[in-house]
């Protein structure tokens, strides 16, 4: 899928988590719901860090372009080192390492630990990166037409404001994990979820997604998971734009109302 569909499905997925959490007596304060949805929307672009033409490689100018190059080489190296006889040779690392459950858990856990131990500036940094990505994903066309600096300013101000809102007692920094040493521990959850939702979205497209690596399936370790062929579509096709995008939008809206206790 393309950036906007990935981000929108990420936001909808977090709103769905919000609705489920409300049903299980762990209702999110509204800032957790909103910030989590934006983080998840941003994190849903991140697996394409292995692809230099992806939205995310342009998001932070030369820094993200360099990071993209490094991650593509790393992914390719891991692919070559771990492939089994049934996995084809390939020229690059796109849709390998960063498109697995393993990577999702690794970076989600990493960001949670950083937020808990790193304090306010690390939380601000995590929010900034994901707010910029959320803008790139959700406001794709607008972000392309405006300058990078404007998008970064928007990311920085929203990160600053949202961190202040979350910080107020009862406003969400201690959602789900309530002990004093666990503030912001939840911040890795929308990051894991965003990565997984990205993989599920890619699995629906023609080439599939090797989500289960490193678990071997038959003679392959990088088996491209996905539904039966006839249910798949091309990235950027009418199914994605005219069917899935409105579905994500409506589902997300419905879940948001459930999460806030307006319905259900
Ligand atoms: Zn992808």
């Amino acid at each position: 899928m393309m950036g906007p569909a990935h981000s929108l499905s990420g936001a909808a997925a977090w709103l769905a988590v919000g609705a489920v959490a409300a049903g299980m007596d762990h209702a999110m304060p509204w800032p957790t719901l909103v910030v989590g949805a934006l983080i998840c929307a941003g994190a849903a672009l991140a697996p394409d860090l292995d692809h230099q033409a992806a939205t995310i490689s342009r998001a932070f100018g030369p820094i993200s372009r360099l990071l993209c190059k490094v991650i593509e080489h790393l992914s390719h190296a891991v692919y070559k080192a771990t492939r089994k006889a049934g996995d084809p040779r390939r020229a690059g690392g796109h849709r390998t390492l960063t498109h697995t459950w393993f990577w999702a858990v690794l970076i989600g856990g990493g960001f949670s630990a950083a937020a808990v131990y790193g304090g306010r500036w690390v939380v601000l940094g995590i929010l900034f990166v994901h707010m910029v990505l959320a803008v790139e994903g959700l406001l794709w066309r607008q972000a392309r037409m405006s300058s990078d600096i404007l998008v970064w300013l928007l990311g920085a101000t929203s990160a600053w404001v949202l961190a202040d809102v979350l910080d107020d007692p009862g406003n969400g920094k201690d959602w789900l994990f309530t002990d004093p040493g666990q503030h912001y521990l939840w911040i890795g959850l929308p990051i894991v979820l965003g990565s997984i939702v990205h993989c599920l979205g890619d699995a629906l497209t023609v080439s599939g997604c090797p989500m289960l690596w490193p678990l071997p399936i038959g003679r392959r370790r990088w088996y491209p998971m996905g539904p039966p062929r006839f249910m798949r579509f091309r990235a950027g096709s009418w199914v994605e734009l005219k069917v899935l995008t409105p579905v994500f939008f409506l589902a997300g809206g419905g879940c948001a109302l459930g999460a806030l206790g307006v319905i259900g």
Side-chain angles (χ1 to χ4, degrees):
M1 296 200 295
M2 314 276 284
H6 277 309
S7 282
L8 201 54
S9 59
W14 184 256
L15 297 172
V17 170
V20 172
M24 294 170 68
D25 276 344
H26 282 291
M28 293 177 192
W30 70 265
T32 308
L33 188 71
V34 171
V35 175
L38 290 170
I39 292 179
C40 202
L45 293 182
D48 281 344
L49 259 181
D50 63 0
H51 182 32
Q52 295 183 38
T55 311
I56 187 170
S57 80
R58 291 186 309 265
F60 299 97
I63 300 175
S64 48
R65 271 195 294 276
L66 179 70
L67 188 63
C68 240
K69 228 175 233 161
V70 171
I71 291 197
E72 198 199 338
H73 284 297
L74 172 73
S75 306
H76 194 203
V78 172
Y79 182 87
K80 282 192 287 193
T82 61
R83 80 186 177 94
K84 297 208 333 170
D87 291 309
R89 273 174 210 287
R90 46 179 307 158
H94 183 43
R95 279 201 185 173
T96 57
L97 182 61
T98 57
H99 286 68
T100 61
W101 67 271
F102 180 87
W103 177 268
V105 171
L106 190 76
I107 57 160
F111 276 117
S112 267
V116 168
Y117 296 112
R120 177 177 169 81
W121 285 100
V122 173
V123 171
L124 276 173
I126 296 172
L127 288 177
F128 169 69
V129 167
H130 288 89
M131 292 311 121
V132 169
L133 291 178
V135 171
E136 294 277 354
L138 297 174
L139 303 174
W140 190 55
R141 249 187 224 106
Q142 290 85 338
R144 281 212 163 169
M145 284 188 297
S146 58
S147 79
D148 283 348
I149 312 249
L150 216 60
V151 175
W152 297 336
L153 271 177
L154 183 60
T157 37
S158 48
W160 192 267
V161 170
L162 292 172
D164 274 350
V165 175
L166 281 173
D167 239 357
D168 282 336
N171 252 359
K173 68 179 168 193
D174 55 358
W175 175 71
L176 202 57
F177 303 98
T178 45
D179 287 349
Q182 298 177 341
H183 289 170
Y184 293 108
L185 191 55
W186 63 269
I187 225 163
L189 296 176
I191 295 175
V192 175
L193 185 66
S195 274
I196 289 177
V197 167
H198 178 107
C199 295
L200 292 175
D202 277 354
L204 289 175
T205 62
V206 185
S207 38
C209 184
M211 294 181 67
L212 293 184
W213 178 88
L215 303 175
I217 298 176
R219 291 173 62 244
R220 302 185 69 165
R221 204 182 288 282
W222 295 93
Y223 185 85
M225 308 294 293
R229 289 265 160 219
F230 74 93
M231 291 174 69
R232 300 193 188 188
F233 57 87
R234 262 172 214 296
S237 69
W238 69 272
V239 185
E240 180 176 325
L241 301 173
K242 302 277 190 258
V243 181
L244 291 179
T245 305
V247 165
F248 294 149
F249 205 79
L250 290 175
C255 289
L257 295 179
L260 294 170
V262 179
I263 53 170

